[in-house]
C-alpha cells in the first residue's frame, strides 16, 4: 500500500521505518528539509527494537507535501495535535477522493482537521480517523535513528464522518492490524490516553521536573498518590464516554499498570526499563502540556460539561496548569465551545459526526 507519513517526530520516524519494513511504499514528509537531510541522503532510517538494529529503506523522504501525498492510499499523521492545523492547511490542496487519514492519537483532530481542510478549499471525499495512542512507544536516538520499545496491540479507532467507518478501518488495518473500530470521532477522541496519564504526572511532579536535569515521570514520578489521581481522572473520562452512549471496551488506564489488557499490552515495565523516558521536560513547552493538557484535557473537560458529567479532577488539573501558565484553559481552542459544538443537542451532535458537517 502507498502510505504518506507526515511529521518529523518520534512516532513519525517509527512509523516510516516500521511500515516500510512491513512491505509498504512509504513517503515521509517533514517541512524542515535540513532536519530531514540525513534520511534523504541515506535513503533509510535506522530502526532499533527487541530484534536489534538495522537500516530500513524507505521509498522517499521529502519536504514537498504534494510529493508525499500524491497517490497515497493512507495518510498517517503521528504528529502532536498542536501541529494539526498547519498540516491540514498544507494538505488541503493535495487531498484526493478515497484517501484515509489516520491520526494516532488525534485529540479530536479528525473532526478539526476535516473542517480546516474544507475551509482551505478542499472538496476531496476523505475519511479521517483517530485512535487512543501512538502505535509505538518510541524515541529518536539520532538524525535518522529511532528506538521502538513497544508496539501497540490494540488501537480503538473512531472515524469522521462515521458513515465511512467500515472502509476506513479496513484500509488502516492493512497497515496496523491492531486497529479496531470504536465508533465516531468523539468516541475515538475519548479513547485518548495522553490527557489522562500526562497531566497528573506533570502537575504532581512539577517540583522535581524543575529541580532535576532529568526526571523519569513514569518511574520515580509514578507513585501511589499520582496513580490514585490518574485513576479518578480516567473514571471521569469513562463516565463521559458512557454519557455520550459509547460502549465498552473503554480501555481503562489502570490496565496499563496492572495487566496486559491495555493498548500496549503489558508495557509499563518495558517503558521504565528502556530509560528513554528519563529526560528533561520543560514544564511550560513540553507536548504533555501543550498537547495533552491545553488541548486534550481541555477537550475532555468541555465534553464533560456538555454531557453534564461531574469532572472535578479534569477541571482541577486544568486550573492548576492554567495557574502556572497564566491563562484560563477552559477557553482553549480544542473545546466544545470553541468548536461550535456546545449548542448542539446530543442527537444533532451524533448526526453531524455521522454524516459530516
Amino acid at each position: 500500500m502507498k502510505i504518506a507519513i507526515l511529521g518529523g517526530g518520534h512516532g513519525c520516524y517509527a512509523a516510516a521505518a516500521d511500515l516500510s519494513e512491513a512491505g509498504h511504499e512509504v513517503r515521509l514528509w517533514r517541512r524542515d528539509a535540513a532536519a530531514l537531510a540525513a534520511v534523504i541522503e541515506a535513503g533509510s532510517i535506522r530502526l532499533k527494537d527487541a530484534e536489534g538494529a538495522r537500516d530500513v529503506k524507505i521509498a522517499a523522504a521529502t519536504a514537498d507535501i504534494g510529493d508525499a501525498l500524491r497517490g497515497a492510499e493512507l495518510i498517517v499523521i503521528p504528529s502532536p495535535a498542536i501541529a494539526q492545523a498547519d498540516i491540514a492547511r498544507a494538505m488541503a490542496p493535495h487531498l484526493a477522493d478515497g484517501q484515509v487519514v489516520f491520526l494516532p492519537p488525534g485529540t479530536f483532530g479528525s473532526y478539526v482537521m476535516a473542517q480546516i481542510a474544507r475551509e482551505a478549499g478542499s472538496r476531496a471525499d476523505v475519511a479521517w480517523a483517530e485512535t487512543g495512542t501512538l502505535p509505538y512507544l518510541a524515541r529518536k536516538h539520532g538524525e535518522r535513528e529511532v528506538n521502538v520499545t513497544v508496539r501497540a496491540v490494540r488501537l480503538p479507532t473512531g472515524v469522521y464522518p462515521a458513515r465511512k467507518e467500515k472502509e476506513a478501518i479496513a484500509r488502516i488495518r492493512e497497515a496496523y492490524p491492531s486497529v479496531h473500530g470504536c465508533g465516531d470521532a468523539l468516541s475515538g477522541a475519548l479513547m485518548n490516553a495522553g490527557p489522562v496519564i500526562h497531566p497528573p504526572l506533570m502537575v504532581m511532579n512539577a517540583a522535581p521536573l524543575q529541580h532535576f536535569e532529568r526526571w523519569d515521570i513514569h518511574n520515580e514520578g509514578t507513585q501511589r498518590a499520582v496513580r490514585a489521581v490518574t485513576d479518578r481522572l480516567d473514571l471521569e473520562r469513562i463516565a463521559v464516554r458512557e454519557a455520550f452512549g459509547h460502549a465498552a471496551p473503554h480501555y481503562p488506564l489502570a490496565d496499563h499498570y496492572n495487566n496486559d489488557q491495555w493498548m500496549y499490552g503489558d508495557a509499563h515495565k518495558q517503558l521504565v526499563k528502556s530509560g528513554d523516558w528519563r529526560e528533561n521536560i520543560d514544564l511550560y513547552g513540553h507536548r504533555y502540556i501543550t498537547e495533552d493538557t491545553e488541548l486534550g484535557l481541555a477537550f475532555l473537560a468541555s465534553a464533560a460539561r456538555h454531557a453534564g458529567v461531574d469532572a472535578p479532577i479534569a477541571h482541577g488539573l486544568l486550573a492548576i496548569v492554567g495557574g502556572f501558565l497564566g491563562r484560563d484553559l477552559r477557553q482553549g481552542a480544542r473545546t466544545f465551545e470553541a468548536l461550535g459544538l456546545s449548542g448542539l443537542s446530543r442527537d444533532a451532535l451524533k448526526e453531524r459526526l455521522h454524516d459530516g458537517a
Side-chain angles (χ1 to χ4, degrees):
M1 181 167 55
K2 294 182 178 180
I3 301 176
I5 310 290
L6 305 185
H10 309 294
C12 300
Y13 277 47
D18 202 52
L19 295 175
S20 293
E21 190 170 55
H24 299 288
E25 182 182 323
V26 173
R27 293 176 177 268
L28 172 65
W29 170 80
R30 186 175 184 178
R31 69 175 76 244
D32 187 344
L36 196 58
V39 179
I40 294 174
E41 182 178 349
S44 64
I45 292 174
R46 188 157 183 80
L47 175 64
K48 300 194 297 185
D49 57 16
E51 296 181 4
R54 63 272 188 197
D55 286 335
V56 179
K57 290 189 176 299
I58 64 173
T62 178
D64 185 328
I65 197 168
D67 285 346
L69 293 179
R70 193 173 299 112
E73 301 161 82
L74 178 65
I75 303 165
V76 183
I77 310 178
S79 297
I82 56 174
Q84 288 171 351
D86 285 344
I87 292 175
R89 284 187 282 267
M91 293 169 66
H94 310 287
L95 291 170
D97 290 349
Q99 290 180 318
V100 174
V101 181
F102 182 45
L103 310 175
T107 318
F108 207 48
S110 54
Y111 179 86
V112 172
M113 292 186 76
Q115 309 313 308
I116 292 172
R118 187 167 182 83
E119 290 167 5
S122 175
R123 294 298 179 266
D125 186 16
V126 174
W128 304 76
E130 62 182 272
T131 188
T133 191
L134 275 168
Y136 317 92
L137 288 176
R139 281 292 185 269
K140 290 163 68 176
H141 285 180
E143 291 182 318
R144 67 173 192 91
E145 181 174 279
V146 64
N147 182 61
V148 174
T149 302
V150 176
R151 290 173 174 81
V153 294
R154 303 173 187 89
L155 288 171
T157 298
V159 177
Y160 178 78
R163 59 184 170 79
K164 290 182 169 291
E165 179 182 13
K166 185 177 180 180
E167 61 196 74
I169 295 298
R171 179 81 54 80
I172 300 166
R173 281 181 58 84
E174 292 182 47
Y176 294 107
S178 55
V179 159
H180 68 84
C182 70
D184 60 28
L186 179 57
S187 177
L190 291 173
M191 285 293 191
N192 193 348
V196 176
I197 191 171
H198 295 137
L201 289 174
M202 296 293 278
V203 168
M204 300 180 77
N205 284 278
L209 283 173
Q210 291 192 320
H211 178 73
F212 295 109
E213 183 179 352
R214 294 182 180 276
W215 182 256
D216 190 337
I217 59 174
H218 296 287
N219 190 8
E220 296 93 338
T222 303
Q223 300 298 329
R224 186 170 62 181
V226 181
R227 278 290 320 282
V229 171
T230 304
D231 287 346
R232 288 288 301 277
L233 177 59
D234 200 43
L235 288 175
E236 293 177 1
R237 176 190 68 88
I238 292 171
V240 173
R241 283 185 53 78
E242 291 175 339
F244 280 109
H246 301 309
H250 300 298
Y251 289 93
L253 189 59
D255 287 348
H256 171 61
Y257 300 97
N258 299 332
N259 56 55
D260 63 355
Q261 298 304 302
W262 201 61
M263 299 183 207
Y264 289 126
D266 189 8
H268 183 68
K269 292 179 182 178
Q270 293 169 268
L271 183 154
V272 171
K273 184 179 178 180
S274 74
D276 274 352
W277 279 261
R278 183 171 299 282
E279 55 191 344
N280 179 269
I281 293 180
D282 175 10
L283 201 59
Y284 300 91
H286 196 277
R287 72 171 188 84
Y288 291 168
I289 294 294
T290 59
E291 177 181 23
D292 291 329
T293 307
E294 292 188 68
L295 296 183
L297 187 60
F299 174 79
L300 174 59
S302 74
R305 290 194 295 272
H306 189 276
V309 172
D310 188 27
I313 304 297
H315 285 95
L317 288 167
L318 271 182
I320 293 171
V321 176
F324 66 70
L325 292 181
R327 54 184 178 273
D328 186 353
L329 299 187
R330 293 173 299 178
Q331 311 303 317
R334 200 66 64 93
T335 61
F336 270 49
E337 293 84 357
L339 296 173
L341 302 177
S342 59
L344 296 181
S345 68
R346 195 78 51 84
D347 288 342
L349 176 61
K350 184 176 182 179
E351 182 178 353
R352 177 176 294 190
L353 295 175
H354 181 272
D355 296 338

